[in-house]
Amino acid sequence: MCESSSGRPRRAETPGEPEKTVSAGLQQKSLSAAVAAIAVPTVAAVAAALLSAALAVPAGAETREAVAGKMRLRYESSRWTLSNVTPDSFVLTPSDPLDRKRSQVTVLRSPLNCADLARAHLPDSLYVVPTIAPDTLAGRRGERHTAHTLCRNATPRGELLCVPTPSGTYALIATIAACRGGPGFGRGDPFEDFFDSVRFLP
């Protein structure tokens, strides 16, 4: 302790206190800089992800709907081109002529049953005897007829997925007209794009 000019005792200044204040300030600045260094890359990463997502959407992508009888089917106009539309049928063709995954799909309602439709669209002049397996479409039970072609060159299987309903038999059909038509063996399930996009009206 020491005396002030008034004679009252005053507390002596403690060496080192200014250093503590400066040290605390530096620590606070270092913490703020560290937080900023973390935040900047995070914001940049989020911005990059949003940009990538935007670029992943095909230009001109639009969901449209086609109708055959009481069945409605949604499709992406960037992937498919609609044609040959009638009240009971339509055709969807891949928009990209070089698409090796998708094939032309005919959608129709018919008074024929599944067996008769298979005989009409998988003829024995072009296909072997089809195999038949249970399948579903929009929650309705049906069957899928699949047949390899008799062609000597690479051609996809012919497939017909049909569902009987009170208003008629509905079918998705992917076949070729001749041995020179259609993509090669690389094609996947021709109806894959439509499993979640079909619904039946009451």
Side-chain angles (χ1 to χ4, degrees), residues 36 96 131 151 172 192 198:
D96 182 359
T131 59
C151 303
L172 275 61
E192 182 179 3
V198 172

Side-chain angles (χ1 to χ4, degrees), residues 79-80 93-104 153-157 176 179-190 192-193:
R79 294 180 178 180
W80 299 95
T93 304
S95 300
D96 182 359
L98 300 179
D99 192 331
R100 306 300 294 178
K101 179 182 178 182
R102 299 175 181 85
S103 295
Q104 179 174 286
N153 57 306
T155 50
R157 298 186 304 270
I176 58 174
C179 289
R180 290 185 176 275
F185 291 135
R187 189 188 73 185
D189 189 324
E192 182 179 3
D193 281 9

Side-chain angles (χ1 to χ4, degrees), residues 105 144 159-161 172-174 188-195:
V105 175
R144 185 185 289 234
E159 303 207 35
L160 182 147
L161 172 58
L172 275 61
I173 304 166
D189 189 324
F191 313 132
E192 182 179 3
D193 281 9
F194 310 123
F195 286 138

Side-chain angles (χ1 to χ4, degrees), residues 32-104:
S32 299
V35 171
I38 295 173
V40 170
T42 302
V43 172
V46 171
L50 291 175
L51 178 60
S52 298
L55 293 176
V57 178
E62 181 182 352
T63 301
R64 299 181 181 177
E65 191 173 72
V67 180
K70 291 188 175 183
M71 186 179 79
R72 294 181 179 272
L73 183 149
R74 296 191 311 276
Y75 66 95
E76 295 294 334
S77 61
S78 61
R79 294 180 178 180
W80 299 95
T81 299
L82 179 67
S83 64
N84 299 354
V85 178
T86 74
D88 291 317
S89 66
F90 56 86
V91 174
L92 288 167
T93 304
S95 300
D96 182 359
L98 300 179
D99 192 331
R100 306 300 294 178
K101 179 182 178 182
R102 299 175 181 85
S103 295
Q104 179 174 286

Side-chain angles (χ1 to χ4, degrees), residues 156-172:
R157 298 186 304 270
E159 303 207 35
L160 182 147
L161 172 58
C162 66
V163 176
T165 75
S167 63
T169 301
Y170 290 85
L172 275 61

